[in-house]
Amino acid sequence: MPSIAGGLFSAGRGISWLRLRRLQRPLLSSLSAGGGSDAPHLPVVIVGAGPVGLALSFLLAKFGIKCTVLERSMEFTRHPRAHFINNRTMEIFRKFDGLAGDIERAQPPVDLWRKFIYCTSLSGSILGSVDHMKQEDFDKVVSPISVAHFSQYKLVDLLLKKLDGVGFQTCFPDELGGSSAQDLLLENKILMGHECSSIELTDDGILVGASFNNGGRMQERKLHCGLLLGADGARSKVRELAGISMKGERDLQQLVSVHFVSRDLGKYLSSERPGMLFFIFNPDAIGVLVAHDLEHGEFVLQVPFYPPQQMFEDFSAKVCEQIIVKLVGWEPADIQVLDIKPWAMHAEVAEKYVGCDNRVILVGDAAHRFPPAGGFGMNTGVQDAHNLAWKLCLLLNGIADPSIIQTYESERKPVRFFLHAFCSFNVNISATNILK
Ligand SMILES: Cc1cc2nc3c(=O)[nH]c(=O)nc-3n(C[C@H](O)[C@H](O)[C@H](O)COP(=O)(O)OP(=O)(O)OC[C@H]3O[C@@H](n4cnc5c(N)ncnc54)[C@H](O)[C@@H]3O)c2cc1C
């Protein structure tokens, strides 16, 4: 059996300059105590192939760290959530083999999304209109790259292409066979349809249980790894299994998210009142419309609802269409509701980002969940990944002490104080803008 140090060192083939400077001392002392018989075969397992898990896999691959990604779904969701990419994330994406440029070229023209509009209906009175772009954004005073407006699912598609370029493969249970596939065969793979369902601390690492459906039969694959990174979203199973609780305010608002297309509506808004976000209030309906792509008529409508008087089940496609018409103010002939999902708004942060003796690390929504006002969730998650990846690289190559992982928590956790205040400010400012 290889030692944990041997197993983990072999992860870092891409950075020989680091290996030359490797320290002559036990790696990950807190992980290697005990000398158990089952040494980890995989340096890193990431749970969750959302934007944050994928960004982290890419960065680790660039550093030569082999990892395996577990994704419980069999397909990547097409329901758009995030769309606003801030300067810092775009700066990070410049290092993703041209991803920032790909986004800039593929996003809608900026004049179609630079405004927030407050109105009684999409064809009714405008109560307020705010242009969120400033000349310094175009002049690149604050940052060498501008913010972007690009649907989350399209970003995930581009991240998958970048991962393909660094040798990652997406695999399905029927391509991998039974539960006994060798760990090494799972390196640099995204295992679709694999749900992380258990973790067990061993003397040498973590034994991760992933359940999957193999031809109608549920099976469990065991992966032994040195580090487990929880990028599994707001209801993180990894966080739960590691016994890490959330602190903050829960269930601030229940919402229904309606993904729909209407080229008629896109054409109308492009010519009459182009914008990114429309806050719509009238006696018959309220909602926030996110214009993901006016040129293609792609929208997401957020409608608040109030249990127990209203339940998610009340929002059939027909009901959603009726709400859309009330908010538009006329009846587009071509509305097609693609998907309806419930979600709850929280303002919470994990009590710690690192647990289980430095072996489990939370990133993205698994570590924090913000109200969407301001568009910070995914941005903060990608920035978490960027902060963490190089530290893992130094740790796994024996350059840094395990205490470097604590700097991830101490640097990233304070960000949430600022962001929670900023999100609340954004929610309030939305209300005051109406009065302007
Ligand atoms: C309406 C709305 C608008 C938003 N707008 C913005 C915006 O403009 N900008 C912004 O930055 N953010 C925005 N956000 C937030 C953003 O969508 C999230 O912060 C982002 O999706 C978090 O990414 P993630 O990868 O951490 O988690 P997720 O995207 O939730 O991905 C987690 C992945 O883990 C998988 N998974 C879960 N459990 C398991 C398990 N046990 N085993 C294996 N896999 C598992 C899931 O299937 C999923 O694929 C918005 C959110 C909403 C709801």
Side-chain angles (χ1 to χ4, degrees):
M1 255 331 148
S3 71
I4 181 167
L8 292 172
F9 281 148
S10 64
R13 252 175 253 144
I15 41 165
S16 49
W17 64 273
L18 289 175
R19 303 169 112 227
L20 293 175
R21 298 172 52 209
R22 189 178 300 150
L23 305 181
Q24 297 301 308
R25 60 177 166 70
L27 176 65
L28 297 177
S29 53
S30 67
L31 304 187
S32 56
S37 56
D38 254 345
H41 295 227
L42 295 164
V44 175
V45 167
I46 297 177
V47 180
V52 175
L54 295 178
L56 190 51
S57 333
F58 180 85
L59 288 167
L60 291 180
K62 278 291 192 187
F63 284 126
I65 307 288
K66 295 250 165 76
C67 67
T68 304
V69 183
L70 303 175
E71 169 53 52
R72 74 171 167 202
S73 301
M74 286 292 274
E75 55 189 26
F76 294 96
T77 178
R78 311 308 287 171
H79 194 112
R81 283 158 67 193
H83 55 96
F84 180 73
I85 308 180
N86 66 26
N87 291 110
R88 183 63 195 130
T89 304
M90 286 296 279
E91 287 165 7
I92 292 169
F93 284 164
R94 290 201 307 166
K95 303 285 178 200
F96 277 55
D97 291 351
L99 176 61
D102 295 344
I103 293 170
E104 281 186 319
R105 283 185 291 278
Q107 70 176 342
V110 69
D111 283 339
L112 291 186
W113 53 266
R114 57 193 290 173
K115 285 189 179 161
F116 287 7
I117 294 172
Y118 303 81
C119 52
T120 57
S121 77
L122 293 178
S123 50
S125 309
I126 293 185
L127 306 169
S129 168
V130 183
D131 185 342
H132 282 276
M133 296 299 286
K134 298 187 181 70
Q135 192 50 43
E136 63 219 50
D137 296 320
F138 298 107
D139 295 344
K140 305 197 187 313
V141 172
V142 177
S143 168
I145 191 150
S146 188
V147 300
H149 171 55
F150 196 58
S151 303
Q152 183 168 329
Y153 75 91
K154 294 180 186 169
L155 173 64
V156 163
D157 285 348
L158 288 184
L159 281 168
L160 288 168
K161 275 198 192 134
K162 298 298 173 196
L163 279 163
D164 187 49
V166 291
F168 257 83
Q169 273 180 294
T170 302
C171 299
F172 294 87
D174 58 349
E175 295 164 340
L176 289 165
S179 54
S180 58
Q182 288 293 304
D183 283 356
L184 287 176
L185 295 178
L186 305 177
E187 283 181 343
N188 283 3
K189 290 196 170 58
I190 301 169
L191 309 187
M192 301 300 290
H194 282 69
E195 178 162 8
C196 170
S197 46
S198 66
I199 62 172
E200 187 188 325
L201 246 69
T202 67
D203 286 344
D204 326 89
I206 286 215
L207 201 55
V208 183
S211 46
F212 64 100
N213 187 328
N214 193 17
R217 207 160 54 89
M218 286 313 288
Q219 280 186 266
E220 191 179 59
R221 194 184 303 284
K222 292 279 188 192
L223 293 90
H224 205 182
C225 62
L227 292 166
L228 179 66
L229 311 183
D232 51 341
R235 279 178 278 176
S236 170
K237 184 77 180 172
V238 172
R239 188 179 67 220
E240 181 198 318
L241 293 169
I244 300 174
S245 57
M246 296 295 271
K247 282 197 172 138
E249 291 174 82
R250 292 198 61 125
D251 295 319
L252 297 171
Q253 177 73 63
Q254 301 291 325
L255 294 114
V256 179
S257 178
V258 186
H259 182 202
F260 71 96
V261 284
S262 165
R263 284 200 177 251
D264 285 356
L265 182 57
K267 219 182 277 174
Y268 167 77
L269 288 174
S270 297
S271 65
E272 298 299 318
R273 48 177 77 169
M276 177 203 275
L277 292 182
F278 296 85
F279 297 83
I280 316 164
F281 313 83
N282 68 49
D284 298 322
I286 56 170
V288 179
L289 184 77
V290 185
H292 274 259
D293 188 342
L294 284 182
E295 285 176 319
H296 295 96
E298 184 174 17
F299 300 92
V300 173
L301 177 66
Q302 305 294 344
V303 184
F305 72 101
Y306 302 89
Q309 283 81 9
Q310 287 174 305
M311 300 306 281
F312 170 63
E313 293 69 29
D314 301 336
F315 292 86
S316 63
K318 188 89 210 129
V319 167
C320 291
E321 251 179 58
Q322 288 163 354
I323 296 171
I324 293 166
V325 170
K326 284 176 191 162
L327 293 171
V328 172
W330 51 275
E331 193 166 344
D334 63 344
I335 297 175
Q336 195 191 345
V337 173
L338 302 176
D339 194 19
I340 307 168
K341 278 196 187 322
W343 64 281
M345 197 190 290
H346 310 285
E348 286 189 308
V349 65
E351 55 167 343
K352 50 187 181 179
Y353 285 12
V354 181
C356 300
D357 205 11
N358 282 344
R359 287 178 184 140
V360 173
I361 304 170
L362 303 178
V363 280
D365 276 15
H368 41 69
R369 29 199 204 186
F370 306 118
F376 291 111
M378 181 186 74
N379 283 298
T380 309
V382 170
Q383 292 157 30
D384 291 342
H386 184 253
N387 181 290
L388 182 62
W390 67 270
K391 294 175 181 174
L392 295 183
C393 171
L394 294 192
L395 173 70
L396 294 171
N397 283 280
I399 310 288
D401 187 86
S403 63
I404 196 168
I405 296 302
Q406 291 303 327
T407 70
Y408 163 69
E409 176 164 320
S410 58
E411 287 168 14
R412 293 306 298 164
K413 231 177 141 186
V415 172
R416 87 184 201 272
F417 289 114
F418 169 72
L419 290 180
H420 277 177
F422 204 68
C423 291
S424 310
F425 172 78
N426 272 338
V427 170
N428 292 333
I429 209 78
S430 296
T432 46
N433 274 332
I434 300 163
L435 304 174
K436 278 183 183 170

